[in-house]
Amino acid sequence: MTSKAEKEAFVWIWLPGETEPVVAGRLEADNGNILFNYGKSYLNRIGDSKTAIAIYEPELPLKPGVLPPPEGLTIPGCIRDASPDAWGRRVIINKKLGLKGEDTDTNELDELTYLLESGSDRIGALDFQRSPTEYVPRAANNVSIEELIESAERVEKGVPLTPELDQAMFHGSSIGGARPKALIQAQDKKYVAKFSSGTDLYSVVKAEFIAMRLAELAGLNVAPVKIAKAGNKDVLLIERFDRVPKGGKWARKAMVSALTLLGLDDMLARYASYETLSEIIRHRFTDPKHTLKELFSRLVFNILCGNTDDHARNHAAFWDGKMLTLTPAYDICPQGRTGNEASQAMLISGDSNLSQLKTCLETAHNFLVSKEEAREIFGNLIAVIEQHWVAVCEEAELNEVDRKLLWGRQFLSPYSVEQ
């Protein structure tokens, strides 16, 4: 059973402060590339009271005509940001190809299919439809966390889902990342729910909760998190910051990933650099000096907690049509390591990505941070981790075995704290 490749999709956007989307333009598949064209109705909004914004500049400037992807890309980065990553693609493959899901190469389905088949409540302010005139959201009714855990386990095993679980898991198929997750809503808040995986060697869910809580206690701008239990399994709930309740509905905040800011795709992500990102911040972000210090502090904290998965999709910015603003941190998850040495997913100083404070010291000037200020940041973050470690572990109900596994290896590894 195979899926027919999609030829076109229409991009719908929530303009700033609005709770209903409008059609922005059309995507077209063309010899392996995805081309975009703004619609006349959208361009006609320029200058009136409901001003249109570019989906993202400089990638897709507000002008008529076909806009090809930037050089080196097959799809505009701001569109790819709204497409599902590894986990969401597995969910869609499970839905469309059934038992083949476990072993199927995610390249078997085309990019427009992933955009059109994933849930509508995706991160950011975009959605994708087959119609330019009628918006029909692909949503699911609220289901229990227990049901979501069951459906996540079935997707991992490549087992077809029941219709009810199919819809529940499909709802979260548009979220990025490789681990099992779903979207849930509780009253006036929305959450990304992350589940444990059958391949976990320790409580990854609790480790991420602990890292996020410690980052918050250290004064970093992070998304609020909490731990829930369902069926004797832990679930991490991360509060979404791209949704704003308004009159019983939801306004959406446009976002782009650092990968898009850097003009790279997933194949070139290894070239993503904190130095280049800091330069973009200096020129295109609101409050650049404060933002640079925040990003530098996040880099340091990632190293101190063992989060080596700080790739460019795990950094993002809000986009208001003119300026960029750093979003709260949302994916600080300590990673397992086999040896003492470690390296970050993004380059830190020149060609070095070694997970050490001395590497941060070398690049501090790029963040407009002096070496004295950098050392002060080091000291403050280390002190917070040491001071609150026990209390936050107790809050997470982390067992003694996992505490010993994480402490001194992921958190405050001797290799990492070298200056």
Side-chain angles (χ1 to χ4, degrees), residues 367-398:
F367 296 83
L368 306 183
V369 172
S370 69
K371 291 197 172 184
E372 293 73 21
E373 289 174 313
R375 289 193 177 95
E376 184 179 347
I377 289 170
F378 299 166
N380 288 340
L381 292 177
I382 290 171
V384 167
I385 293 171
E386 291 177 334
Q387 179 183 348
H388 295 282
W389 170 255
V390 173
V392 174
C393 284
E394 290 177 352
E395 186 181 348
E397 298 182 358
L398 187 69

Side-chain angles (χ1 to χ4, degrees), residues 12-28:
W12 290 67
I13 186 171
W14 278 254
L15 292 170
E18 297 296 322
T19 58
E20 299 293 338
V22 296
V23 66
R26 176 176 176 266
L27 294 169
E28 178 186 5

Side-chain angles (χ1 to χ4, degrees), residues 177 257-258 298 307 309-316 328-331:
S257 71
R298 292 185 192 182
N307 176 31
D309 193 36
D310 59 337
H311 56 79
R313 284 205 185 281
N314 280 343
H315 300 283
Y330 52 88
D331 203 336

Side-chain angles (χ1 to χ4, degrees), residues 260-282:
T260 293
L261 299 180
L262 295 166
L264 300 173
D265 66 8
D266 294 283
M267 299 297 291
L268 298 175
R270 64 187 180 279
Y271 297 112
S273 160
Y274 277 102
E275 290 184 351
T276 306
L277 182 55
S278 69
E279 185 177 349
I280 293 171
I281 289 171
R282 287 197 294 274

Side-chain angles (χ1 to χ4, degrees), residues 294-406:
E294 169 74 17
L295 183 62
F296 181 79
S297 298
R298 292 185 192 182
L299 165 60
V300 173
F301 188 84
N302 279 332
I303 288 174
L304 292 176
C305 78
N307 176 31
T308 54
D309 193 36
D310 59 337
H311 56 79
R313 284 205 185 281
N314 280 343
H315 300 283
F318 295 122
W319 165 250
D320 66 2
K322 295 180 180 178
M323 297 290 288
L324 297 156
T325 302
L326 193 66
T327 71
Y330 52 88
D331 203 336
I332 306 176
C333 185
Q335 304 294 306
R337 61 172 77 184
T338 53
N340 290 324
E341 295 187 4
S343 55
Q344 299 304 116
M346 285 176 58
L347 299 172
I348 300 171
S349 179
D351 293 330
S352 175
N353 64 344
L354 294 179
S355 306
Q356 294 185 296
L357 295 185
K358 61 184 180 184
T359 317
C360 297
L361 205 59
E362 292 170 3
T363 196
H365 65 280
N366 288 300
F367 296 83
L368 306 183
V369 172
S370 69
K371 291 197 172 184
E372 293 73 21
E373 289 174 313
R375 289 193 177 95
E376 184 179 347
I377 289 170
F378 299 166
N380 288 340
L381 292 177
I382 290 171
V384 167
I385 293 171
E386 291 177 334
Q387 179 183 348
H388 295 282
W389 170 255
V390 173
V392 174
C393 284
E394 290 177 352
E395 186 181 348
E397 298 182 358
L398 187 69
N399 64 49
E400 196 63 33
V401 172
D402 282 353
R403 289 193 202 192
K404 289 180 178 178
L405 179 70
L406 293 172

Side-chain angles (χ1 to χ4, degrees), residues 190-211:
K190 292 193 175 219
Y191 298 92
V192 174
K194 289 188 176 183
F195 311 122
S196 58
S197 168
T199 60
D200 289 345
L201 300 177
Y202 61 94
S203 181
V204 174
V205 164
K206 288 184 176 181
E208 183 170 357
F209 171 82
I210 289 167

Side-chain angles (χ1 to χ4, degrees), residues 37 54 154 229 248 259 303 358 384 417:
N37 198 326
R154 291 172 74 93
K229 274 194 177 294
L259 200 64
I303 288 174
K358 61 184 180 184
V384 167
V417 298

